Amino acid sequence: MKIVLLCSLVAAAAAWPYFGDFQRDEPDGVPTAQKQHDINFLLHKLYEPLHEANLKALEDSFDPLAHTANMPDGGVAVNKLMQEVKTQHLEERHHWFSVFNATQREEALLLVKVLLQCQDWPTAIGNAVYFRKMMNEETYVYALYTAIKHSPLTKHVVLPPLYEIMPHFFTSSEVIQQAYRAKLIEKPGRFNMNFTGTQNNPEHKIAYFGEDIGLSTHYINWHIEYPFWWNETFGYQIERRGENYFWVHHQLVNRFEAERISNHLQKIEKLHWERNLHEGFDPHTSYKNGNPFPFRHDDIHIEDVDKVAEVRDMIVMENRIRDAIAHGYVIDKEGNKVDINNEHGIDILGDIIESCVYNPYNEYYGSLHNMGHMMLGHQGDPHAKYYDTPSVLEHYETALRDPAFYKLHKYIDDLFRKHKDHLKPYTQEDLLFPGVAVNMIDIDGPLETYFEDYEYSLMNAMDDKEEMIWEDNMEISAIIPRLNHRDFSFKLGIVNNNDEKKLSTIRIFAWPHRDVNGVLMPFNEGRWHAIELDKFQKELIPGENTITRKSSESSVTVPDVPSLKSLHEQTEAAIAGSSELNLDEFVSATGLPNRLLIPKGNEAGVEFKLVVAVTDGVADSVNDEINLTTKFHHYGHHGVYLDKKPHGYPLDRRVPDERLFHEIPNFGETIVKVSNHDEHVYHH
């Protein structure tokens, strides 16, 4: 394919070249397709020099210090980063990076600040190109992805799937080795990849969930959307950041529990700092420089970790948080009591547990979540005798692979539950939507899951000659089984007995009807284990309303982002004028993969209680706009969250008597069964 040449971009003030009417014009006048083209090539062959002639020319000519006039900070961030370049203080290339490492994180944030200070695309792409060759590759990717996600200049740009940009984080060392061999002999190859461990390890039964590359992509995308280090100096405040932290991890834990029941495994045992960590883990992956990710043996006693924390530090942090929950308030830096016994308390508690910038007293409450990841991640070698590389728990891209992740977050989730259980239960008056009743809940289509093979490119895992162009790359890829489900729809019957239209919010949840031992799960226990399946707004006309909602429409999930190759081809076609670039559905990749909307189930079928709550849409909305087409979910772009009810409402508070919900007409429930008839297929 012929690459369309760009005009020289020596000065940021120069007019950006325009290639005719391809896709939308951005507010700054640079078409989306041009921006997507530039980002694609920045990330293509990340560990090599740029392969695009015009970007290479820009790299040689651009001076960051000469393009600070329009920056709101007057170029402070650029000057700081350039000073780091000049004094050679930047992390060396081909080295690992972890956002949990404070020094490396600060370096990444300097680049984030520089890119977010850019007010036009020529300045932004000039800085992005210049610092690509100066910075550690993994640091650069983290900063670039974060800046693209938050910059108004790139609100329509799609981030390529990270498992194709840095395949080493997602691909076993064995497959990477096979790929290198194929590259060496110049023979295309497609290589099957197995999950870690063997069938002798019970946790192997659910490796398809923790090692799902789409789920891992969801997790890092969420942390890029809601970084713990974010503050207003980056542009705006992120609303309900702590509550979102609670909810995304609560849902991961609940979904993992549901997968365990589907595979006849006992529930997660939460972490105890003074007990042994039973589950070991061998990642079978390596960094790009060849250093392996550390492994951990079974049944190890949790030890102090040099230069991280002592076990007693973790217990002290936990006890201070437990005391705050018991008292119903936290202490801020000035010694003031901040009430948390209200619907906003979960937000404050989430800020404290993760220790984000909004934490009211970081020095006192510590960093239970981030330190927890580092403590557990180093348990294979707590005194750094053999490794100096971070474990999978110290990267958002890989953390979900380790069973210890779920033990840690079950432990944290228990703290959140203690807080929620301190709040007063909802009353009938709180929950009632006058004149509205649910009179039918049905499923159109089978609730059935299956495994499919998914193929992704390993092109970026291997090095090429500098003159190699995109189209010359031979096809070398990995194939991994992943969970999917048949299409289905929720079919709901809702009566509006009012004389006028009513805006409603429809909230759909499910939880396992029985535990792994076949014991019925009480309502109050089940509602805490509920997984969110959908949330959307619908206008109800007076009388009967029949609502059909496809599983593919769920606001909780997102589709697969196109491969880097597909993004490249679509972008170049748009630039050439042969087609439009329609990628809007992939811009927000923060939700769960739509394949994972429902748990796996098993051959006999796993029963779930499906509950539907219809609430007052006007009372739920943060503004007067009717959000009938906007996705009404908790992954709001730029911190905006449309639903002002707490996450999980109306199931987020304890239920002393489940008859309350049975007496509320705008609440309905039924029992459904999820099946899987090829549960052993994923073993290649």
Side-chain angles (χ1 to χ4, degrees), residues 263-468:
N263 290 281
H264 313 287
L265 294 173
Q266 294 294 329
K267 65 181 181 180
I268 311 166
E269 292 184 6
K270 69 179 181 180
L271 179 73
H272 291 273
W273 291 112
E274 294 178 300
R275 298 183 188 175
N276 281 10
L277 184 58
H278 174 64
E279 294 85 2
F281 185 64
D282 187 351
H284 282 264
T285 48
S286 301
Y287 289 92
K288 180 68 165 65
N289 64 10
N291 288 339
F293 279 89
F295 72 92
R296 182 184 65 251
H297 290 291
D298 289 344
D299 294 310
I300 61 169
H301 182 70
I302 298 177
E303 295 186 39
D304 301 339
V305 175
D306 294 353
K307 299 180 181 180
V308 176
E310 298 179 2
V311 171
R312 65 181 179 181
D313 297 330
M314 307 306 295
I315 296 172
V316 167
M317 283 187 270
E318 174 192 338
N319 287 338
R320 287 175 177 173
I321 292 168
R322 288 184 181 275
D323 286 345
I325 293 169
H327 288 112
Y329 63 83
V330 300
I331 303 294
D332 67 16
K333 292 180 180 179
E334 286 72 40
N336 302 310
K337 295 179 180 179
V338 181
D339 183 22
I340 60 171
N341 268 353
N342 52 59
E343 65 178 22
H344 303 295
I346 190 75
D347 192 41
I348 298 171
L349 195 61
D351 289 340
I352 286 174
I353 289 176
E354 190 182 19
S355 191
C356 79
V357 173
Y358 302 147
N359 183 340
Y361 197 173
N362 180 280
E363 293 81 4
Y364 181 71
Y365 292 108
S367 179
L368 189 65
H369 170 264
N370 291 354
M371 284 293 189
H373 271 258
M374 297 176 72
M375 283 286 287
L376 295 181
H378 283 77
Q379 287 307 308
D381 184 24
H383 307 299
K385 292 181 177 179
Y386 310 106
Y387 301 102
D388 65 352
T389 52
S391 75
V392 294
L393 286 172
E394 293 164 86
H395 298 280
Y396 297 133
E397 303 94 318
T398 54
L400 301 187
R401 299 161 61 94
D402 191 336
F405 172 90
Y406 302 96
K407 294 179 75 71
L408 172 65
H409 282 283
K410 182 67 176 290
Y411 153 80
I412 289 174
D413 200 55
D414 183 62
L415 295 174
F416 284 122
R417 183 170 187 177
K418 289 185 184 304
H419 162 70
K420 284 284 190 177
D421 284 352
H422 271 261
L423 303 181
K424 292 180 180 179
Y426 293 118
T427 64
Q428 186 176 69
E429 184 180 0
D430 293 328
L431 302 176
L432 195 63
F433 189 6
V436 175
V438 178
N439 60 11
M440 180 190 71
I441 303 175
D442 201 3
I443 301 293
D444 187 4
L447 289 179
E448 182 180 334
T449 66
Y450 61 93
F451 286 97
E452 64 182 10
D453 280 344
Y454 180 69
E455 185 172 354
Y456 65 96
S457 174
L458 299 178
M459 176 174 61
N460 273 3
M462 294 158 292
D463 300 324
D464 274 324
K465 299 176 182 178
E466 186 171 347
E467 65 271 15
M468 184 75 70

Side-chain angles (χ1 to χ4, degrees), residues 163-175:
Y163 49 80
E164 289 195 335
I165 304 305
M166 298 193 299
H168 289 78
F169 281 80
F170 303 88
T171 311
S172 70
S173 301
E174 294 86 352
V175 168

Side-chain angles (χ1 to χ4, degrees), residues 4-19 28-31 34-35 37-39 42 50 52-64 66-67 120-130:
V4 179
L5 295 180
L6 311 181
C7 297
S8 176
L9 300 171
V10 177
W16 194 263
Y18 183 66
F19 297 95
D28 62 349
V30 181
Q34 182 60 57
K35 295 177 180 180
H37 166 96
D38 294 341
I39 296 302
L42 281 179
L50 284 162
E52 205 272 5
N54 297 283
L55 293 179
K56 288 178 69 175
L58 181 61
E59 176 186 71
D60 294 335
S61 62
F62 189 85
D63 178 6
H67 299 91
D120 56 75
W121 188 245
T123 306
I125 191 62
N127 278 290
V129 165
Y130 180 86

Side-chain angles (χ1 to χ4, degrees), residues 177-196:
Q177 182 64 30
Q178 290 176 302
Y180 267 108
R181 190 178 301 117
K183 182 74 173 179
L184 186 64
I185 63 175
E186 299 185 348
K187 181 180 179 181
R190 301 166 69 244
F191 304 106
N192 290 328
M193 183 168 68
N194 291 319
F195 298 114
T196 57

